[in-house]
Amino acid sequence: MSDEELSKYIPLHGERLRVKKFIREKGTKRQDGKRSALLKVLQEKIETKRNKSSKGKTAVESTVDETDDEMRESNRRFGNQNASKDMRKVEIGWIHKTSKKSIQIRSRRGGGTRRIAMQKNATKKELLDEGKKLFFPNGKSPQGIETDFDFDLWDYQDRTMNEEVTIGQMYRETKMPILRFYLASIEKDCITVDEHSASSQDDNGSFYSAPSQDDTDRFTDPTQPATASKVDIVSEAMQLAGIETEEIGDITEERPLVTDEYTEDLNIQPPTGDRLNVPITESLDIPMPTADNTDNDSIMIQLHRGQIMKEMIDNFIPIQDPMSQIIKLQLIMPNGELEAAEDAGGVTRDILVEFWTSFYDECTLGSSHKVPCLRHDFGQREWLSVAKIIAFGWCSVKYFPIKLSPIFMQYCMYGRFSDNILDSFFKYIPENDAKTLRAALDDVSSVDEEELYDIFSQFDLKRVPRQTNMDRIIREMAHKELIQAAMFVSDCWYPVLRGLHLPVEKLLSLYKDLIPNPRRVLSLLKFPDDLCADGQTTSNHLKRFIRGLDDNLLTRFLRFCTGADLLTEGSITVSFVDVQGVQRQPVAHTCSSMLELPKKYDNYLQFRSEFSNVLKSDIWIMDII
């Protein structure tokens, strides 16, 4: 139909164009539909004919067709270079086995994980030779010479590799992205793996030999219950996931698994095992303090006032057993001369007080309870030295740094904590922030929103706080600040502090029993039985003076009398001397916890003024032998 004829029925030109376009599109779709239907019918006929012809073929013809299919398949896989290469990459580590244990040698000790390319048809012998070249260059290694050991090759599951199996076969069977092997160097006085196990194939044609009992005990402390993982689970999971282990360093080496009350409170299922199941001294290269290596000779350490923290840390680094060795401390005055006092406990207590005062200011964060913070100039040696100082202070004069968070100290000693983490966290943060968070736990709407968000921003909160999740959020923040932030420090302290063998009840009681208050200090005072009238008056002045002291001056009074700012001594003996004029001043013997007071004062105000001036003085010199 022409346009003129169509205009009789559709007068508008635009409408006529739309109608023509619609008719053309409809016709095209109809033709496409017919074409698709014809192609489908043709495809079905070809497929039916192919199936019928394949049924009548001989075995030879079928084989030829299969070969053609394989050739077509290989052409499709043309881009897969590993399909045509004769070499495959493998990883080789080093495990050193002694009569007591087996440890994986790290890179800094000549081990680590090496990635090499090997022939697909390489067997155990070639891998063993290559491992010796890597870890025993020229027949020598940090563990000894090559002739001192027997060697074996273990797979990633610590099983002995079969002599006849090739790398290519193992790749095809395991379907792993990269295989890992371990060169096992076994001391010749140990029973080797081959003497305990024999290679055999199971029903599925496995090419591994059965593991020995010794092998299954690897990375397990024989004195602890067998709850820790006995294989390198992280390494195996990374291999199955195709993650390159070289990119993330030594994460595949052993690491203690820890449980604590925090995970129980949050209904989180902790990993099996705990910190006590792993010999952490191997991962940190830290010598454990034992009574066998105690040096009977005393160690004399000279320190300068004002530099005590740095000098103490430096001097305790080479000390092996601070709990048994005899360590004596001496102070050097600003003029370079030694203080005349001999250390019978008082000098040690005074030095420990100055050390921890500096340590709290320079190496910790927190308010009432403090947690060590990482410093760029403090490495493993320095933090380990601080742990030795803690052990030395407790074993020598029963001094313990109770300002450190009890949650953190429990974690350092036992690998877990049982105390309430929220109570310790509220003492870690400023008092005003603690009040705000306590109020938010009860009713978040009663707290100023801007103030609450300001507190959360300090701890990098990643959630929107609501009443329903407020308790969980605060517990997560507490765990991050008290445990996770100082995890490196706790790992360094753990090998030494666990040697104190302090029960958790005893540890928690120290945080109550060592804190001084006026009532406890007054109970320590021991006066002579035969007091004269002047002595009785002065003793009353002393009791009145102690009752009026604030916390700062009370700890200074205790330090003046005993050398320690904590209640480490059982009594303070008070004696009276008859002196007048400029010689009238209190004198303390810190080693024996004795306080000498002038017998006569005009009134209490005079006593308080003179004693306060002594306590507020920043320079105390121990010059009494």
Side-chain angles (χ1 to χ4, degrees), residues 294-300 321 324-328 392:
T294 302
D295 187 0
N296 293 326
D297 298 332
S298 63
I299 300 174
M300 180 63 69
D321 188 359
S324 299
Q325 288 179 279
I326 301 174
I327 303 173
K328 293 187 177 181
F392 164 72

Side-chain angles (χ1 to χ4, degrees), residues 290-440:
T290 59
D292 296 337
N293 59 5
T294 302
D295 187 0
N296 293 326
D297 298 332
S298 63
I299 300 174
M300 180 63 69
I301 299 177
Q302 295 182 348
L303 306 166
H304 296 80
R305 286 199 181 274
Q307 301 292 326
I308 284 181
M309 189 187 86
K310 181 180 182 305
E311 293 179 352
M312 280 276 283
I313 291 175
D314 291 341
N315 279 280
F316 269 79
I317 287 176
I319 294 176
Q320 296 295 319
D321 188 359
M323 291 180 276
S324 299
Q325 288 179 279
I326 301 174
I327 303 173
K328 293 187 177 181
L329 307 179
Q330 268 189 322
L331 284 172
I332 301 176
M333 294 186 294
N335 61 2
E337 297 180 0
L338 289 173
E339 287 188 354
E342 291 185 2
D343 185 16
V347 177
T348 298
R349 289 191 290 268
D350 184 66
I351 289 174
L352 288 172
V353 171
E354 185 166 341
F355 171 84
W356 286 109
T357 301
S358 301
F359 184 84
Y360 294 145
D361 292 338
E362 300 179 29
C363 302
T364 65
L365 296 174
S367 183
S368 298
H369 285 177
K370 302 178 183 295
V371 174
C373 59
L374 299 182
R375 293 176 36 155
H376 71 90
D377 55 342
F378 270 43
Q380 175 184 315
R381 295 193 315 158
E382 286 74 18
W383 288 117
L384 178 59
S385 180
V386 175
K388 294 177 183 178
I389 295 172
I390 296 177
F392 164 72
W394 173 253
C395 294
S396 60
V397 293
K398 299 303 178 185
Y399 188 93
F400 196 85
I402 60 173
K403 286 190 177 181
L404 294 178
S405 167
I407 294 291
F408 175 75
M409 294 306 294
Q410 288 181 65
Y411 192 81
C412 291
M413 291 185 176
Y414 318 116
R416 57 172 65 86
F417 55 86
S418 57
D419 208 11
N420 190 340
I421 194 171
L422 289 185
D423 290 344
S424 187
F425 180 63
F426 289 150
K427 294 179 181 179
Y428 170 79
I429 60 179
E431 185 177 357
N432 289 334
D433 292 352
K435 290 180 180 178
T436 301
L437 292 182
R438 284 195 180 97

Side-chain angles (χ1 to χ4, degrees), residues 26 112 157 244 427 450-451 456 551 556 579:
K26 189 175 182 181
Q157 290 181 322
E244 299 291 341
K427 294 179 181 179
E450 184 176 350
E451 183 180 3
F456 286 151
D551 292 342
R556 280 179 167 267
V579 291

Side-chain angles (χ1 to χ4, degrees), residues 97 100-102 212-222 226 230:
K97 183 177 178 65
K100 297 181 179 179
K101 57 189 175 182
S102 298
S212 68
Q213 180 63 32
D214 289 344
D215 296 339
T216 59
D217 291 338
R218 180 169 161 252
F219 300 142
T220 305
D221 187 349
K230 297 179 182 178

Side-chain angles (χ1 to χ4, degrees), residues 552-571:
N552 181 38
L553 285 179
L554 185 64
T555 56
R556 280 179 167 267
F557 172 82
L558 200 60
R559 183 181 178 186
F560 177 76
C561 296
T562 67
D565 56 355
L566 304 175
L567 296 174
T568 60
E569 300 302 296
S571 64

